[in-house]
Amino acid sequence: MNKVDVVVLAAGKGTRMNSSLPKVLHKLAGRTLLQHVISTVNCVSDCRIIVITGHQAEAVEKFHAQRNCIFVRQSEQLGTAHAVAMSLPYIRDLSNVVILYGDVPLVSLSTIEKMIEAVKEGQMGLLTAEKHNPSGYGRIVSNEEGSIESIVEQSDATPNQLKITEVNTGVMAMNSSQLKNWVPQIRNSNKKNEYYLTDIIEIARLNGCFIKRIQPNSNIEVEGVNNREQLSRLERSYQKYLANEFMLAGNSIADPDRFDQRGKLKTGFDNYIDVNCIFEGEVQLGNNISIGPNCHIINSIIDDCVEIKANSIVDSSRIKSGAIVGPFARLRPGTLIGEGSSVGNFVEIKKTTVGHGSKVNHLTYLGDAKIGPRANIGAGAITCNYDGSKKHETTIGENVFVGSNTTLVAPIALSDNSFVAAGSTVTTSVAQGQLAVGRAQQRNVTGWKPPKNS
Ligand code: UD1
Ligand code: CA
């Protein structure tokens, strides 16, 4: 019996978030709470994923539509057992079933696999955790030998039960026939008149099933998110965990408390990250890279020995080895910076290739341009790529010198070894080796008298 059906509960409103957004659409490390759960489950082999939606179901389903899940609606949120009941028609015979909560986002694959193992051994698996402050969680009631007897929700617990520090994480596993037999037996006779999935534990025990206690590898796996304070605390502890992974792989971080990874970060080693950098989407780093403070790197590839100086933004771009970017540079999507090139302060580059060894060091906008190797683009040079309706390209060959404060009106080409005088407005292409001067002639007026004060 190797089939696995995973049920993810995501129908609740998340009242305690005080938000117009459903709770599972709130983000942790740049991904929705539900995305975290689904992408972990995607790694379970031979697995069907059933997501129970309800509150703002359309929004939740639309956001996760590309994921390979079956969405099942729970039209009224009558409790976690009622939510699981909605999944029963989609649970396959002879499968191992794992129940996960959309608001417990960081359960790991290895923990899920341990749960499945317990089911294969004929037991039921329950993921529990020790908490100094168990407030808000269901408490695990055990007998004298320490075996699990039942779960009692906080609102129904006696003062003595409230002292129990072993809590229910919500994650449990059993075989499909047990689930199908036991869920319909759950009643709503509790303080909140909800159908509590937690009642299944007592039913299992009364049916002679042993409940195996499984513990997480790390505490962040079992943190539930019910309000924004818990969300922000989980964000920090998850970031600390990601920062540790990054450091243990052989990289340095100036301050792991000021490091943010919102997506996948592939890395070599001996990279150095200064404070307050954000890595978003899919970022790939080579080796020996230095990234200064306050940089935002999004969906980009950074090759070996690159230096990105303070306050730079690199979005959907590639920076080749040995290049220097920043401080205060902005690389927009589609930019390629060649080997050993330099891009300095207040430079914005979009959909542009900069050849190797070129310099764009100050106050420049380059858009829709192709720049050859060893070109020098002076301070204040601008490609006028937009005529109000269409975008046009600028081509600059190798070893071209573009003087300061030049406007290049695209479409235009500056051939190899050409030279543009400072302050020019260039509207026609320049051939190889030519000098282009496109500025008003200077007049020096002799005998000029300044205006007098009246
Ligand atoms: C639940 C557990 C509690 C556990 C805690 C762990 C129950 C009764 N209680 O409490 O023992 O310690 O999680 O985080 O299970 N949901 C639905 N439909 C519903 C109700 C809830 O889909 O009708 C979903 C919610 O969207 C959420 C999850 O189930 O993702 C848990 O619901 P929530 O109300 O947050 O339960 P807790 O009070 O946290
Ligand atoms: Ca919860």
Side-chain angles (χ1 to χ4, degrees), residues 395-402 412-420 428-434:
T395 309
I396 297 177
E398 64 174 90
N399 208 26
V400 170
F401 186 97
V402 176
I412 197 156
L414 312 180
S415 297
D416 296 351
N417 303 310
S418 62
F419 197 106
V420 177
T428 52
S429 291
V430 184
Q432 278 207 26
Q434 281 186 326

Side-chain angles (χ1 to χ4, degrees), residues 16 23 103 225-226:
R16 292 162 278 181
K23 177 162 65 180
D103 66 347
V225 173
N226 294 313

Side-chain angles (χ1 to χ4, degrees), residues 8-14 16 23-24 52-54 74 76-84 100-104 134 136-139 151-154 167-172 190 192 194-199 222-226:
V8 185
L9 305 191
K13 175 169 189 273
R16 292 162 278 181
K23 177 162 65 180
V24 293
I52 310 297
T53 57
Q74 180 196 24
E76 257 186 303
Q77 282 73 62
L78 303 179
T80 45
H82 180 257
V84 171
L100 300 175
Y101 288 5
D103 66 347
V104 183
Y137 287 86
R139 310 296 204 279
I151 300 174
V152 57
E153 286 304 295
Q154 170 143 331
V167 301
N168 173 33
T169 65
V171 179
M172 55 178 80
N190 51 52
K192 292 190 179 162
E194 280 186 20
Y195 294 88
Y196 286 161
L197 182 63
T198 44
D199 289 353
V222 296
E223 291 295 331
V225 173
N226 294 313

